[in-house]
Amino acid sequence: MPEKILMKGNEVIAEAAIQAGCRFYAGYPITPQNEIPEYMSRRMEEVGGVFIQAESELAAINMVFGASAAGARAMTSSSSPGISLKQEGISYLAGAELPAVIVNMQRGGPGLGNISGSQQDYFQAVKGGGHGDYRLLVYAPNCHQELWDLTMRAFDKADEYRNPVMILGDGILGQMMEPFEPVPYSPPNLPPKDWVLDGCRGREPRVVKSLYLGEGELERHNLKLFQKYSRMKEQEVLYEAINVEDAELVIVAFGIASRVCYTAMELLREHGIKVGLFRPVTLFPFPEKEIKGLSLQGKDFLVVELNMGQMVEDVRLAVEGRTSVEFYGRAGGSMVTPEEVMEKVLSLQRPTSTRLSL
Amino acid sequence: MSTTPLRLKELSKKEDLLTGGHRMCAGCGAPIAIRQVLLAAEMPVVVANATGCLEVSTTIYPYSAWKVPWIHTAFENAAATLSGVEAMYRALKKKGKIKERIKFIAFGGDGGTYDIGFQSLSGAMERGHDIVYICYDNGAYMNTGIQRSSATPLGANTTTSPAGKVIPGKLQPRKNLTKIMAAHGIPYVAQTTPAHWRDLMTKVRKALEVDGPAFINVLSSCNRGWRTPTDRAIEDCKLAVETCFWPLYEYENGKLTINQKPKEKKPVVEFLKTQGRFKHLFSPENEHLLKKAQELVDKEWEDLLREERMWKAEEGE
């Protein structure tokens, strides 16, 4: 195993991308993710890749479209308002089935909001933020090890599914430093990119497009895309479940909020309160079967997010009313504390006899 | 209403419409320029601000340093937002619901003007809104941590055009936005600096006086990005003009006038050498870049002189 090193979260993403073979990066300044383009502007030159600072987020995402169509492992990054600007391009990438990695180090919103870490773009990330009917594969890392591992994985999965993949981080993860193991990238067996537009001399010309005008053509394309998303649901779900076996209440949290909830869980357990933590690592596909399973065991849920309640809707869909699903959130770039989570959990305590059970 | 003469004695009696206590850095050129702009205005103005240092640092809620109506939406759209405000004003004026003559000023940095805001700026100018767009150009995205913009000069060291052993800072010359705006054929276009307050304020008055769109490009120093001491703002802007890096000129209905011709044009290194962002250019291996920087300045200056001669010759006929 390599020795642990200490890096800033944004730079972990950038270096992981480079090591995973990303050779095209286009970006545009926005706080709190500027370390990614800054790092890329130095590093891409060293590895013979391309760094472009675009004139806008729109330009950056469309550069990624072009580079991906030409066969490059391509990436862009931004923070919430900039990701909003990229949505048109993301929809086109999904429609044209082009692989790309899009990093969103979320900040408080809506509008200009602020530059503190937040989780207010959950809906935008997992429900298809742009127009049309599409999904991104969405990873929600909660530590620098996962920023490293999941960034590498994102490139592989983007190629495997020919689909844009989003890393949904936040300003805190991006700005903080913590040690991690820079595990070397090992490339998986991936299907050949037999769709790349790299010159058609000696072969049939290829087409990469999202325009389907023929009768029924676009619907067939949509069905094909949704078969792909179903396959993701079968094969790509990642999550972490801690202390859920004996838990009466399971806290569900992703990303940076899950780390606060972990502390709260440990403190509550010290007081003999049986609390578990369930952390979706993929937000799409969402670990709905696993949450359904926990609800079938009669466990209640508390969803904690740095927003006004977004993932809680997906938890409720999975629980289907079997047990109770409560929510606690802090929005607008405010941070939740372990004490707040504990207080909320204690307020939900009730005698076992009144618990819902199936 | 009589016009306040452009004399310090009289101007000092006018109310400052960008008040002190804002959070712009010590030594920043931008608030100096903005105060001069607002001091020059003799009528009520409405201000739109693109995202940037100026916007963030002057409007930290619940505080505002602005004593004029002020609007901000996002980064790329100060000109578009103000187009909407100005169009509504015109409609209300037509209906007789507003009697007063109100002028509309947009402020944007070079990122919000040269780059992401260029489309909305061009659109507003082409549609002919009665707007004065003022760019304060400090040559990089200073608000987000000194990333290069299309206004960044050749060779400048920024966080996304880092100077190293292989690449000596920004490889491209800056975009000549003032000329591009002149090519829009709008009634008034000029460039100036806050170090030339009388020139700046005269130009602002001309811009506010015309019926239709006007654009003023104001070179503005940033000690964080330029890597200069905080007392250099005015001196560096003067050097920019004395070296013809930033000539003072204006287009009135398409006709060019150069407002200041240095008696002795200083070499551009005089402007570059005081700034840390160009420090690496003075290594022997980067000598060619200093030469190139001089060539760029010479060409722009000679083009301007030639163009002005052409206008004068035509008038002489």
Side-chain angles (χ1 to χ4, degrees), chain B residues 48-52 54-55 71-72 74-78 107-109 112-113 133:
Chain B
N49 210 168
T51 304
L54 178 68
E55 169 265 326
I71 186 169
H72 162 263
F75 197 8
E76 69 278 16
N77 45 15
F107 290 112
T113 307
Y133 192 107

Side-chain angles (χ1 to χ4, degrees), chain B residues 98-114:
Chain B
I98 296 179
K99 301 270 186 287
E100 237 176 335
R101 181 168 178 252
I102 301 172
K103 292 294 282 195
F104 299 85
I105 304 176
F107 290 112
D110 48 291
T113 307
Y114 282 65

Side-chain angles (χ1 to χ4, degrees), chain A residues 28-31 33-39 41-43 45 51 53-58 81 85 107 111-112, chain B residues 51 55-56 72-76 111-112 115-117 141 143-149 159-162 166-167:
Chain A
Y28 187 75
I30 186 168
T31 310
Q33 63 81 56
N34 291 310
E35 293 81 5
I36 301 177
E38 287 170 10
Y39 191 90
S41 73
R42 296 195 298 273
R43 274 293 273 150
E45 190 59 31
F51 164 81
Q53 186 183 313
E55 72 276 20
S56 68
E57 283 90 352
L58 277 74
L85 284 172
R107 59 187 246 185
L112 193 61
Chain B
T51 304
E55 169 265 326
V56 170
H72 162 263
T73 46
F75 197 8
E76 69 278 16
D115 290 348
I116 197 169
Y141 291 81
N143 186 42
T144 46
I146 318 166
Q147 292 87 14
R148 62 91 87 191
S149 77
T159 54
T160 53
S161 64
V166 180
I167 297 189

Side-chain angles (χ1 to χ4, degrees), chain A residues 65 68-70 95-98 162 193-200 203-212 217 221 224:
Chain A
F65 188 103
S68 176
E97 293 192 83
L98 283 172
R162 277 189 68 181
K193 287 188 172 183
D194 56 7
W195 47 268
V196 163
L197 309 182
D198 55 357
C200 65
R203 65 160 169 79
E204 280 298 298
R206 295 166 178 162
V207 177
V208 171
K209 63 167 185 168
S210 66
L211 177 73
Y212 294 92
E217 242 185 4
H221 181 58
K224 183 187 154 204

Side-chain angles (χ1 to χ4, degrees), chain A residues 62 65 87-98 131 209-210:
Chain A
N62 285 294
F65 188 103
Q87 290 301 331
E88 181 197 52
I90 296 173
S91 171
Y92 275 64
L93 285 164
E97 293 192 83
L98 283 172
H131 63 280
K209 63 167 185 168
S210 66

Side-chain angles (χ1 to χ4, degrees), chain A residues 183-323:
Chain A
V183 183
Y185 175 68
S186 61
N189 280 326
L190 289 171
K193 287 188 172 183
D194 56 7
W195 47 268
V196 163
L197 309 182
D198 55 357
C200 65
R201 191 174 294 161
R203 65 160 169 79
E204 280 298 298
R206 295 166 178 162
V207 177
V208 171
K209 63 167 185 168
S210 66
L211 177 73
Y212 294 92
L213 292 175
E215 180 68 32
E217 242 185 4
L218 184 56
E219 188 177 25
R220 282 196 294 282
H221 181 58
N222 273 281
L223 290 171
K224 183 187 154 204
L225 292 179
F226 269 74
Q227 279 169 8
K228 189 163 79 175
Y229 306 148
S230 299
R231 222 162 60 239
M232 289 179 190
K233 285 185 180 184
E234 290 303 316
Q235 295 168 8
E236 300 306 330
V237 172
L238 295 176
Y239 63 92
E240 185 183 20
I242 308 166
N243 292 336
V244 295
E245 294 76 15
D246 66 342
E248 290 168 4
L249 179 87
V250 176
I251 301 173
V252 187
F254 70 95
I256 195 75
S258 68
R259 294 178 64 154
V260 178
C261 294
Y262 183 88
T263 305
M265 176 195 71
E266 286 202 313
L267 292 170
L268 286 161
R269 286 213 161 237
E270 278 173 19
H271 290 88
I273 298 162
K274 288 178 179 169
V275 178
L277 175 65
F278 186 89
R279 175 171 76 91
V281 175
T282 50
L283 299 180
F284 183 89
F286 191 70
E288 52 198 29
K289 282 180 198 150
E290 291 72 16
I291 287 175
K292 181 181 177 179
L294 293 171
S295 74
L296 285 168
Q297 294 167 33
K299 297 178 197 301
D300 288 334
F301 298 89
L302 169 65
V303 181
V304 178
E305 301 176 69
L306 299 183
N307 58 46
M308 294 304 288
Q310 299 192 17
M311 181 177 70
V312 64
E313 294 191 3
D314 285 330
V315 174
R316 287 196 174 121
L317 283 172
V319 169
E320 293 174 312
R322 274 178 289 269
T323 55

